[in-house]
Amino acid sequence: MGKLDLITIIIIAANVILSYKGFNDFGFFERHKFNIGSIRRGEQFRMLSSGFLHADTAHLFFNMFALYLFAGQVIYEVGQYSFFIIYMGSLVAGSLLSLYFHKNEYHYSAVGASGAVTGILYAAILLNPEREYYFLFLPSRIGDVDLGIPGYVLGIGYLLYSIYGMKNRIGNIGHDAHFGGAIGGYVITLILSPWLFETNLLMIGLLALPILLLFGLKKAGKI
């Protein structure tokens, strides 16, 4: 389980307060959600403000619960200040990738902290790529078989699924924001923790593969 450091509490509180404001004030929600047309008319603040709004309480809960699970790992490795930079940078990176992929869809809208949270997830995996993760509500072992999934497998698998989701527009999910957040988490963590190039160079390369694949597919016009 994650650890509730002060910065995590502040971020969760900001998400809860602003999301509930949006739940009860339609005008506030509409003025601050991610919307391509509004952003292209100059309202770039939406690329940040939309990350503190959510569609409903379930959306808010799952994002904040995921943040709770992974925030402590990142804070332990890089400190609260760097964690905050990764979180906010990932949020913006998620919005930028959404803007890049939907720039001509003027009515495209989105909300949620998913990009920022995915950035924290990818940062946690980059910092401890061989740490094993387990599914909630499922046993960690069956007999002598360990059901843990190494972090780098989880990270690569998640981004490959995100590419599939983007290509096929699966569900009402901002797969591009998730992917952009992961890119933000990956790049910013490497900038803030250059020692990783000495200790985890192979994993850095492996975790970059889905990112290279995405832009390769985009260049080829297949996504």
Side-chain angles (χ1 to χ4, degrees):
M1 286 294 180
K3 175 186 174 184
L4 275 176
D5 295 271
L6 177 60
I7 189 62
T8 309
I9 294 171
I10 292 172
I11 290 173
I12 290 175
N15 273 276
V16 170
I17 292 168
L18 293 174
S19 291
Y20 271 89
K21 171 69 173 173
F23 296 158
N24 297 298
D25 186 338
F26 181 75
F28 179 85
F29 184 89
E30 288 295 306
R31 287 192 302 273
H32 293 89
K33 71 181 183 181
F34 181 94
N35 174 263
I36 295 293
S38 299
I39 291 169
R40 294 195 63 173
R41 286 193 297 270
E43 297 181 4
Q44 281 81 16
F45 67 86
R46 291 172 179 262
M47 299 178 71
L48 184 64
S49 63
S50 60
F52 291 90
L53 297 174
H54 289 81
D56 52 41
T57 53
H59 186 206
L60 172 64
F61 171 78
F62 283 113
N63 272 338
M64 295 303 98
F65 184 62
L67 177 63
Y68 161 71
L69 290 177
F70 294 100
Q73 299 179 42
V74 178
I75 292 170
Y76 176 78
E77 294 288 347
V78 302
Q80 296 195 46
Y81 178 72
S82 293
F83 166 82
F84 182 71
I85 292 174
I86 295 169
Y87 183 91
M88 297 302 294
S90 298
L91 192 164
V92 173
S95 292
L96 285 171
L97 197 68
S98 289
L99 181 62
Y100 174 65
F101 274 92
H102 299 282
K103 59 182 178 292
N104 296 319
E105 302 172 41
Y106 281 73
H107 296 291
Y108 181 86
S109 298
V111 292
S114 300
V117 174
T118 306
I120 295 300
L121 165 64
Y122 220 65
I125 290 171
L126 182 60
L127 290 162
N128 292 287
E130 296 183 359
R131 177 172 179 164
E132 293 192 336
Y133 294 87
Y134 299 87
F135 290 105
L136 290 174
F137 311 118
L138 293 178
S140 59
R141 303 182 67 89
I142 296 179
D144 294 328
V145 179
D146 187 342
L147 299 181
I149 301 175
Y152 68 93
V153 174
L154 176 64
I156 292 170
Y158 182 77
L159 290 195
L160 291 177
Y161 170 73
S162 294
I163 291 174
Y164 178 77
M166 292 164 68
K167 184 176 176 62
N168 296 282
R169 303 227 170 183
I170 295 175
N172 187 27
I173 299 172
H175 296 286
D176 35 42
H178 295 182
F179 203 106
I183 294 174
Y186 177 85
V187 172
I188 298 169
T189 300
L190 288 176
I191 292 172
L192 296 175
S193 306
W195 52 267
L196 289 169
F197 286 101
E198 299 178 7
T199 60
N200 287 322
L201 189 58
L202 174 60
M203 290 301 175
I204 289 173
L206 287 175
L207 290 168
L209 292 178
I211 299 172
L212 297 175
L213 175 62
L214 173 68
F215 287 102
L217 289 172
K218 178 65 175 175
K219 186 175 182 180
K222 295 182 178 180
I223 193 170

